[in-house]
Amino acid sequence: DEAPEQAAFDAVIEADSRIEPRDWMPAAYRKTLIRQISQHAHSEIIGMQPEGNWITRAPSLKRKAILMAKVQDEAGHGLYLYSAAQTLGITRDEMTEQLIEGRARYSSIFNYPTPTWADMGAIGWLVDGAAICNQVPLCRASYGPYARAMVRICKEESFHQRQGFEILLTLMQGTAAQRELAQDAVNRWYWPSLMMFGPPDDESPNSAQSMGWKIKRFSNDELRQRFIGMLVPQAEVLGVTLPDPELRWDEGSGRWITSEIDWTEFHEVLAGRGPMNAERIRRRREAHEDGAWVREAAAEYARKQQLRDGG
Ligand code: 3HC
């Protein structure tokens, strides 16, 4: 028979309730959460770079202000998630080192370049749209700090998705050149956004256990299908074409039929050989090193405060 704490843990999971930092948990549960939450946090922080690339070149003050707010939100999302991961026993320094040394995963999607302003629309509409499909179910993840971080993040993410849609709509209502720009960006971001949901279910080593622990609520393919179902009517409103000639709804099986997803590209990007992997890590390392003086000053200030307060 099970050890009493394992039985208590299983009962909480069974009851769809929450595991909190001080609760006993299986070491493998802790390890999976550190893996997923730290990767999620890294994704938010690295995700600031593709969009940051356009803050100084936004076409208007309004667009610049919105993009700055969005990039700041991503930084905040990263901080909530690093804090959630720290409740599991890993430190912020360890996670930062793992990322900077190229030993940490982050979402494949941020390893693609953003050559035109229309990329800001495609990222908001497709990448944040996919993130919403993936993150809403995570609001019900069994680990308390992660689920609560998700609730806050999902509220801000819907603004991100709306502003991306609106950028594309504005371009599609513009000149032929602007419409061409928007369609080109959708062509480049569509397939990588489908890959954000992870490998096909039959090639997803973590899914079964993650779903058993009610961390992952829906499978990779289920969320990918849900995302496509969300995109099709919105693409019609925008007047853009999703770059998959095979895409159609199959009434019989109740699912979207798509062309083959290029999983070789996915694995290349995960192996660090995507178009921008090296650049993203280089920039992140540079930002960390350039910011060292701020950390030292803050630590010194805190030390002096403590001395003064006789701490
Ligand atoms: N990018 C990078 N790595 C990926 C990936 C992707 N798109 N999809 C899967 N992987 C990795 C997994 O991490 C795993 O590798 P690991 O065991 O070394 O960590 C391997 O590929 C196999 O995938 P699995 O399906 O077995 O792994 P998971 O059960 O962890 O599922 C996931 C993958 C669906 C991404 C899940 O980890 C998850 O839901 N993570 C939290 C959500 C997240 O990270 N979203 C990032 C979106 S970007 C974002 O949110 C920013 C927003 O503001 C745009």
Side-chain angles (χ1 to χ4, degrees), residues 187-218:
N187 293 345
R188 285 183 287 105
W189 289 93
Y190 176 71
W191 292 105
S193 67
L194 295 189
M195 296 178 201
M196 280 173 73
F197 293 94
D201 293 348
D202 55 5
E203 293 164 37
S204 167
N206 298 304
S207 279
Q209 181 58 82
S210 187
M211 292 178 86
W213 280 327
K214 296 187 183 171
I215 297 168
K216 181 179 280 188
R217 291 289 185 156
F218 299 96

Side-chain angles (χ1 to χ4, degrees), residues 32 35-37 39-41 43-44 47 51 70 74 77 81 105-110 123 127-132 134-135 138 146 150 153 157 160 192 195-200 203-208 210 216 220 223 266-267 269-270:
T32 278
R35 173 184 70 83
Q36 175 160 337
I37 301 171
Q39 289 174 3
H40 200 158
S43 303
E44 300 282 1
E51 294 171 312
K70 181 173 190 298
E74 313 284 0
H77 297 174
L81 288 164
R105 286 204 195 291
Y106 58 88
S107 191
S108 49
I109 193 71
F110 297 122
I123 285 180
V127 176
D128 291 277
I132 287 172
N134 164 281
Q135 289 174 162
L138 287 171
Y146 193 29
M150 279 296 111
I153 288 172
E157 211 74 82
H160 298 173
M195 296 178 201
M196 280 173 73
F197 293 94
E203 293 164 37
S204 167
N206 298 304
S207 279
S210 187
K216 181 179 280 188
N220 299 357
L223 291 181
F266 174 74
H267 289 295
V269 174
L270 261 63

Side-chain angles (χ1 to χ4, degrees), residues 100-202:
I100 283 176
E101 288 161 11
R103 290 186 288 117
R105 286 204 195 291
Y106 58 88
S107 191
S108 49
I109 193 71
F110 297 122
N111 290 306
Y112 292 84
T114 49
T116 77
W117 168 252
D119 289 276
M120 294 306 104
I123 285 180
W125 182 48
L126 293 170
V127 176
D128 291 277
I132 287 172
C133 286
N134 164 281
Q135 289 174 162
V136 166
L138 287 171
C139 293
R140 291 189 299 117
S142 57
Y143 187 58
Y146 193 29
R148 289 189 291 271
M150 279 296 111
V151 171
R152 175 81 185 272
I153 288 172
C154 285
K155 285 189 172 57
E156 293 171 343
E157 211 74 82
S158 42
F159 144 68
H160 298 173
Q161 201 257 359
R162 295 306 305 154
Q163 64 85 37
F165 179 88
E166 203 262 335
I167 288 175
L168 291 178
L169 189 63
T170 305
L171 289 169
M172 288 305 287
Q173 292 169 343
T175 63
Q178 286 174 316
R179 285 197 295 279
E180 162 74 22
L181 217 53
Q183 183 60 57
D184 164 61
V186 170
N187 293 345
R188 285 183 287 105
W189 289 93
Y190 176 71
W191 292 105
S193 67
L194 295 189
M195 296 178 201
M196 280 173 73
F197 293 94
D201 293 348
D202 55 5

Side-chain angles (χ1 to χ4, degrees), residues 125 165 172 186 230-242:
W125 182 48
F165 179 88
M172 288 305 287
V186 170
M230 190 191 91
L231 286 185
V232 167
Q234 290 186 13
E236 275 158 38
V237 171
L238 286 171
V240 296
T241 310
L242 298 177

